[in-house]
Structure formats: structure tokens, C-alpha cells
Amino acid sequence: MLRNDFSTMISPTTSDAKVAAGAVSTAKPALLAIRNVAKSFGRNVVLRDISLEIAEGEFLTILGESGSGKTTLLRIIAGFERATSGELWMGTERLDAQPPYRRRVNTVFQHYALFPHLTVEENVGYGLRVAKRPEAEITQRVVEALAKVKMTEHAKKKPSKISGGQQQRVALARALVNRPRLLLLDEPLSALDANLRRQMQVELKSLQREVGIAFVFVTHDQEEAMVMSDRIALLRSGELEQVATPREIYSRPATAYVAQFIGHTNLLRGAVRDGVVRCETLSWSSTLPDGPVLFSLRPEQIRLGSSGASGMVRTRGRILHQAFHGATELIRVQCAGDLVLTVRTTSGSAPQNEVEVEFSPSDAVVVRESPERN
Amino acid sequence: MELLMTGSAANPSGPRWLLAHAALVFGFLYLPIAVLILYSFNGQGVGGFPPQNLTLDWYRTLFGDGAIWDSVLNSLWVAFAAMAISLTFGIPAALALDRSQFPGKALFRRLVLLPLILPGIITGLSLLMLFNLDMVATVLKWITGQRLSLLTITLGHGTALISVATTEIFAGLQKLDRAQEEASLDLGASYWQTFWRVTVPNLKLPIIGAALLIFTLSMDEIAVSFFLIGRDNTLPLEIWGRLRRGITPEINAVSTIIFIFSLVTIVFWYRLRVRSEGAAEVGTELIEPAEDEA
């Protein structure tokens, strides 16, 4: 149950039709292998022992709070920072010894970093031009790239004359036109407003499917990560907490931190003795070994009222707070002792002050403690 | 001007004294120049008031005066050469200050500014001492046939103005968005290509600004030149020399030409700035707070 070994999770469990059709191997070949990478700036340790593999054509999100080291990790892959220790491999090629301009990796920067003195098409053609491709090829590929991001009509404009969303598309085209093996995106959507952001999430994801290039996407927004990613690598204070598909990371969080960072959860701290779990006033039978234990229980796994089914854990409580979230509501219920449970219900129900709540013990996922770091 | 106008539009009677004050300041600044220009057309020469018999004679005299034109050419030669010297040394110095860490960097940063603050007399005198050293003098004589010449003035100006180039370009570098250079490296350009394709175009304005400033400062420099002058005069020294023999409107005429030339330079500089405003906008947008870690 406790997953200490990340390698078991690193093998992609993608349900892609392509893989199913291939049916030979479920694991795609690793494109980039990050091995035991650590980074410190002076005495400030930013990354500790990061090992991660990125598969061909994968959309991997590095998710973490500000200061978790996610941008530093991206910059190490791009070549703007040198890892203090550890290795980067792209196939049989050692990547970390190479300067950024030799790596077949391109980046979409947080604020796009378009060249203000060049037009949109010159920006897009920049990489091909420094690579001294023939002019005809440059023109053709730039036209194609601009068409792909629907920016053809703005080709002759300077970056300052187009909107943030359009600059974003140009930055994408500028990177993709070089046909990198890996595209890095550093919070590219953070500067956009909410609506445009959602739209770009969808576009970015479909673009990635279309071009088939592996994306490493950095964000602090867990929702964005869930919507777009094949896998999420969750960083916390410079260490990987969990690497898994969005579904898995949501339904089987490895640690208390993951459970809390991704969506809402109830953390139930208890102890197991002789096959019985006790959390505050709750108890249920279990096959877990004796000792202290921590559970994550998602609000939607708890029901208001009693179904009468057997094997459910039930308790009564008083409603503390009710928060409307559109289709659902989150209700905080004060149960006996110090136990407060957050319950997700469909909106519209007007529960009374005193409620009964129940959940199935099988929905309570054992998670590791997340001790304070730094 | 614009400020005054909007002010008076909002409150027509209020800032009248402010307007008068502005007029006074304006007059204080430009009356001498107006007098200078006016008397360059005065048939009576300098002194008489009001000017009478407006004429272009002084300009005719000026254009026929070989010594003045020699000094103008000398000054131009010195100014361009000083510009080249100070930019060649100033740009790498600014890059070093902005980009790299080296021991004594803080000290270097202050010392490089020193020639800007030092009185010209000190710079001039110290250079004169240096050029007087046997070894140095021999080299100078070998190059130009003289110990002191336009070459020594050029070296003097170039040395004194490196600080101008360094500070101007350093300021430009500080405003430059480093992500652009990273983007260039990321897109496959080497450091050298990045420098020429991204850094320099983005520094175009500070470089031109520094060049114009150096040019102007060198054109009217007297103190350093005075110590290092050989046989050939620069324009300010030629003018100064003639003034000792009395003012002639010919000097007014040459000054008027210099004034107009400076005006054109300023307008050119301003238009360049306005035209690249778009680039400046992108710059400020990129400098907006980044919320992530280093």
C-alpha cells in the first residue's frame, strides 16, 4: 500500500488507444531520463535527488507550489542551470554536459520572451535561421507553424502589437517549428485570464496530441495539471512526492500533502490495533498492520444520511459551514470529538442542522505523513 | 509645455505666475543662444544693439576660413575615434558588470565611473604625464611623428568617456529581459549568435545614446584637450584661441552651425526613441512580477 518505490509508478499507465493497438508493450520508451538530480544555490537546497523518466509523446506536468523547485528543474532540463549532481540522459546521449543550444529541447517561457525587435514570422523562423536552413524551407515551415497556431494573419506584426494570448501562440509556434524532441512549458498560461486560460488548456492539449512531441509542463495550478496531463509529477520543497496519472494521483494519493494539494480531502489520523482502525470516535475493521495510520478520504466519498447498507462507517454531526461550488456543495460537519468531516453533496439539498454521515472504509486511502521540510 | 497647457485648461486663472516663471526659466536658458544666433547675422559685428544690417557675410567669411574648417574636421575625427574607443571598451565592461561575478567587481564599478567625476584638469594632466614618459613618447613619435597630436587628444577623450559608454550601456543591460537571451540559446543560437542577434539589437538604443553623448561631449571638450594638444587644433580650442584676439561674428556663425547640428542630432535621437517605443512596451510587460522561484 505504501509506495516508497517511485519506479513502480513511473511506468506509464496511459490508456492511449495507440498503445492498446500496439499491444506489444504497454510502456513507451523513455525519451528523457532524469537521474538523481540535485541542485543547490549556495546553501539553499532547491532540488533533492530527483529521478524521473519522460516517455515519447507524453504530456507530463511538474506540479508544485511556489518555491518547490519546479522551474529550476525545467531550467536544468533546458540547460540554463547546471545540476549540482545527477545526470540527464536523452536516449544514449548525456544531456547535462551540453549547452542549451545543442539540446533538442525547446522552451515556451513564462512571459513568452518573444524578441521585440523581430516580427512574428521572424520570431518563429529564428531557430531555423540560426540553424542555417535553406530560406525556402524556413518560409514554408514558418507558414505551417503559424497556421497551426492560427496566427497567419499576424505574421508581419511586432510582438508588442498582439495580445497576450496571441503572443502565447507565437511562442508555441517558435518552439515547435524546430521539431524538438521535448517541449518545455514554464507556466505558459499563468499570464492569461481565466476564460482564455481554459480555452488554451484544451488547445494546448490537442496541439500536443497532434504533433506527438513530449511536453513537460510546469504549473502551480492543480486543476490545470489534472485537465491536461498524462502524468503529474508533484514536487514539494525540492522532492518528488508522487508521480502518477491524474486519476491515480487523485484516487490514490501517496502522501497527506498530495491528498491535500490535489483537490479537497479529509485526513483521518488514527491507529490500528488487532485488526480494528480507530479514528476519534470512528472505528472499522481492517487488515492493516498494527500501528499509527493516516487516511485520506475524499469529500465525495462521504454521504449525508444513511443508506442502510452494511459495512459502512456512520456517525452523526452538526453542520458548521456550507460552501456553494456550482454543481456541488462542500459541507463541513462537526462530528463527535474533534473530528470535522468535509462532505461533498450535489447542490440543492437543504440539509438540516443535525446530519448523519456515512462512508465505506474501502474509500479511505492510507497515505504517508508529509513531515515539514527545510 | 504640454503640462502647462493641460494645467491652464483645467484652471485658466490659477497658474499664471507659473507660466511667467516658466517663461523666465526658458529665457534664462535660451536668451544667450538667441543672442549668439542673432549676432551671427549682424552686419555691425558684435556689441551694437539692436542688431542692424542683417547679413550672411559672416557665414561667407566662415566658409572661406580654412583654419576653422581644419579644426572642425579635427574635432570630428577626434569625436568619432573617441566614440569608437570608448564603445569598444565600454560595451564589454558593461557586459562584465552585468553578467559576471569577479573579485573586486564593486570597486571596478565605482572606479570606472571616476573619470566622469574627475575634473578634466586631472585627467588631462595625468595623461600628459603618461605621454611624457620616454617609452610612451617614443611610441607616439613613431606613430605620428609628434609627441602630442590629435592622437593623444583622441586617447584622452576615449579614456575619459569610457565611463559614459559603460554606464549608459550598463543601464540598458539592466533593463534587458534575460529570458530573451535564454530563448535565443534555447532555439539553437550559440552565445555569440545570441549576442549579435538578440543582445545588440536590444541595446541599440543605449548604444546609439551613448555614441551621441560621447560625440557631443568630445566635440566641445576643452580641459583634457588643452593639455594634450599638439599642432592641430580642435574646434573649441580654435574658437578659444581666436577669442583671445577679440570676438568676431564669425565665431557666432560657427557656433550657430554647431547649435543647429546638435538640434538635429537631438531630434534624430528622439524620433528613434519614439519609433522603438513598441519594443519598450514589450520590455515593461516582460518585467512584470514573476511569481515563481528563482
Side-chain angles (χ1 to χ4, degrees):
Chain A
M1 201 67 186
L2 295 182
R3 291 171 182 259
N4 289 313
D5 181 8
F6 283 124
S7 65
T8 57
M9 282 180 288
I10 282 161
S11 61
T13 50
T14 167
S15 56
D16 244 7
K18 248 190 294 181
V19 174
V24 182
S25 156
T26 49
K28 293 181 187 177
L31 170 67
L32 181 80
I34 301 168
R35 297 203 188 132
N36 311 103
V37 161
K39 174 74 183 173
S40 33
F41 294 102
R43 296 177 64 186
N44 181 18
V45 181
V46 179
L47 292 173
R48 280 172 240 250
D49 198 26
I50 304 288
S51 290
L52 183 64
E53 287 192 358
I54 294 145
E56 296 274 5
E58 183 182 27
F59 196 123
L60 178 99
T61 298
I62 301 174
L63 176 64
E65 296 170 313
S66 286
S68 59
K70 56 190 190 301
T71 295
T72 305
L73 182 56
L74 199 76
R75 291 173 62 82
I76 288 173
I77 302 174
F80 305 135
E81 304 281 357
R82 273 196 92 99
T84 311
S85 61
E87 297 170 2
L88 291 181
W89 289 88
M90 187 173 264
T92 55
E93 189 186 0
R94 179 93 187 257
L95 212 58
D96 48 314
Q98 296 198 356
Y101 51 88
R102 292 255 168 73
R103 304 184 185 196
R104 290 202 55 196
V105 172
N106 285 124
T107 308
V108 174
F109 291 82
Q110 191 170 13
H111 297 284
Y112 322 134
L114 297 177
F115 306 124
H117 58 294
L118 302 180
T119 63
V120 164
E121 59 181 2
E122 286 167 342
N123 262 282
V124 176
Y126 187 90
L128 300 173
R129 201 149 278 135
V130 293
K132 301 208 169 63
R133 309 299 306 171
E135 267 315 302
E137 184 195 332
I138 296 176
T139 314
Q140 195 205 340
R141 278 168 74 173
V142 167
V143 166
E144 283 169 13
L146 284 175
K148 197 167 277 172
V149 296
K150 305 185 193 78
M151 284 297 294
T152 309
E153 56 178 315
H154 303 290
K156 306 282 181 204
K157 292 184 185 162
K158 288 279 176 74
S160 56
K161 302 291 178 217
I162 58 177
S163 72
Q166 291 169 334
Q167 291 184 22
Q168 159 85 74
R169 290 158 195 267
V170 176
L172 261 171
R174 183 177 71 173
L176 287 173
V177 76
N178 305 295
R179 299 182 186 142
R181 304 198 57 193
L182 181 65
L183 186 73
L184 308 176
L185 302 102
D186 185 7
E187 306 220 23
L189 305 182
S190 65
L192 306 179
D193 61 55
N195 272 329
L196 188 55
R197 196 174 172 145
R198 269 193 290 276
Q199 185 194 330
M200 283 305 290
Q201 286 172 5
V202 176
E203 280 187 30
L204 206 55
K205 180 67 193 169
S206 57
L207 183 69
Q208 191 261 339
R209 288 235 173 87
E210 193 188 322
V211 297
I213 292 171
F215 277 29
V216 173
F217 185 92
V218 159
T219 184
H220 61 268
D221 183 335
Q222 51 99 6
E223 218 178 288
E224 199 164 279
M226 300 285 268
V227 170
M228 302 173 78
S229 321
D230 293 327
R231 280 190 310 151
I232 297 173
L234 198 119
L235 264 182
R236 172 178 170 246
S237 309
E239 279 182 57
L240 279 176
E241 286 278 307
Q242 189 171 7
V243 184
T245 64
R247 281 173 201 284
E248 188 177 349
I249 213 165
Y250 186 79
S251 57
R252 305 227 83 81
T255 69
Y257 178 83
V258 176
Q260 284 175 310
F261 193 77
I262 310 252
H264 292 86
T265 200
N266 295 289
L267 286 180
L268 305 176
R269 193 162 268 111
V272 187
R273 254 191 94 182
D274 305 327
V276 177
V277 178
R278 281 177 202 288
C279 294
E280 301 284 343
T281 54
L282 308 175
S283 67
W284 64 88
S285 61
S286 151
T287 55
L288 292 168
D290 285 7
V293 68
L294 185 63
F295 293 98
S296 160
L297 181 63
R298 295 290 181 191
E300 60 273 22
Q301 310 286 11
I302 309 178
R303 280 170 40 96
L304 284 187
S306 171
S307 63
S310 64
M312 302 295 261
V313 181
R314 294 193 182 87
T315 185
R316 297 192 66 79
R318 187 167 53 79
I319 292 183
L320 281 179
H321 182 253
Q322 198 168 353
F324 180 63
H325 283 256
T328 62
E329 285 179 43
L330 282 177
I331 300 173
R332 285 161 61 80
V333 180
Q334 173 77 60
C335 304
D338 284 338
L339 185 67
V340 176
L341 289 177
T342 305
V343 184
R344 192 189 291 278
T345 63
T346 50
S347 293
S349 51
Q352 47 297 61
N353 210 5
E354 278 275 317
V355 287
E356 189 169 18
V357 295
E358 66 169 21
F359 63 88
S360 163
S362 61
D363 288 328
V365 180
V366 177
V367 293
R368 283 192 316 254
E369 296 273 0
S370 295
E372 288 298 318
R373 294 211 191 97
N374 288 339
Chain B
M1 278 291 264
E2 195 183 312
L3 203 115
L4 280 171
M5 274 151 71
T6 53
S8 58
N11 186 0
S13 62
R16 194 161 292 163
W17 66 270
L18 214 62
L19 203 70
H21 178 71
L24 203 68
V25 171
F26 199 72
F28 191 73
L29 281 173
Y30 287 102
L31 190 65
I33 295 174
V35 169
L36 176 103
I37 294 172
L38 197 60
Y39 277 79
S40 74
F41 297 104
N42 187 13
Q44 253 64 46
V46 291
F49 187 87
Q52 289 161 339
N53 308 335
L54 294 184
T55 171
L56 286 172
D57 280 354
W58 299 116
Y59 287 87
R60 280 189 209 106
T61 321
L62 175 69
F63 281 100
D65 189 332
I68 288 259
W69 289 109
D70 284 345
S71 72
V72 168
L73 286 181
N74 288 343
S75 271
L76 285 174
W77 194 90
V78 169
F80 278 111
M83 197 156 85
I85 291 176
S86 35
L87 286 178
T88 316
F89 286 96
I91 293 174
L95 280 168
L97 281 176
D98 186 51
R99 304 290 158 94
S100 49
Q101 294 300 325
F102 50 89
K105 183 173 163 177
L107 188 69
F108 175 71
R109 193 169 157 180
R110 283 171 183 80
L111 283 181
V112 92
L113 278 178
L114 206 58
L116 200 64
I117 309 153
L118 275 184
I121 292 182
I122 305 289
T123 312
L125 196 58
S126 58
L127 281 164
L128 183 63
M129 306 291 258
L130 178 76
F131 296 147
N132 262 330
L133 295 178
D134 285 340
M135 213 173 63
V136 182
T138 316
V139 173
L140 287 172
K141 270 184 190 157
W142 181 71
I143 296 172
T144 60
Q146 299 157 298
R147 191 169 53 81
L148 294 177
S149 62
L150 288 181
L151 176 68
T152 47
I153 295 185
T154 304
L155 289 174
H157 287 191
T159 317
L161 295 173
I162 285 175
S163 49
V164 173
T166 309
T167 39
E168 284 282 300
I169 288 153
F170 180 66
L173 279 169
Q174 296 263 290
K175 280 186 233 147
L176 188 77
D177 175 28
R178 294 298 291 277
Q180 274 182 41
E181 289 171 322
E182 287 182 349
S184 170
L185 293 172
D186 190 73
L187 292 166
S190 66
Y191 292 102
W192 191 239
Q193 285 172 313
T194 297
F195 178 73
W196 285 110
R197 285 170 176 267
V198 175
T199 314
V200 170
N202 275 299
L203 284 179
K204 196 173 73 190
L205 227 50
I207 290 175
I208 295 176
L212 289 178
L213 194 58
I214 291 163
F215 184 81
T216 319
L217 289 174
S218 166
M219 276 302 275
D220 73 359
E221 212 284 329
I222 285 198
V224 176
S225 313
F226 186 75
F227 285 94
L228 305 174
I229 195 75
R231 243 178 272 146
D232 304 307
N233 263 345
T234 60
L235 182 61
L237 286 178
E238 176 71 28
I239 292 176
W240 187 74
R242 286 173 182 232
L243 286 178
R244 300 180 71 181
R245 284 179 264 129
I247 308 175
T248 70
E250 198 187 336
I251 301 295
N252 291 27
V254 74
S255 307
T256 303
I257 291 173
I258 293 173
F259 175 73
I260 289 165
F261 183 76
S262 310
L263 212 63
V264 169
T265 314
I266 291 164
V267 170
F268 167 74
W269 161 237
Y270 182 76
R271 287 182 65 100
L272 199 80
R273 196 161 203 150
V274 169
R275 216 178 46 195
S276 62
E277 203 96 292
E281 274 166 30
V282 176
T284 50
E285 194 191 315
L286 292 163
I287 293 163
E288 271 177 14
E291 42 200 308
D292 207 31
E293 69 270 28

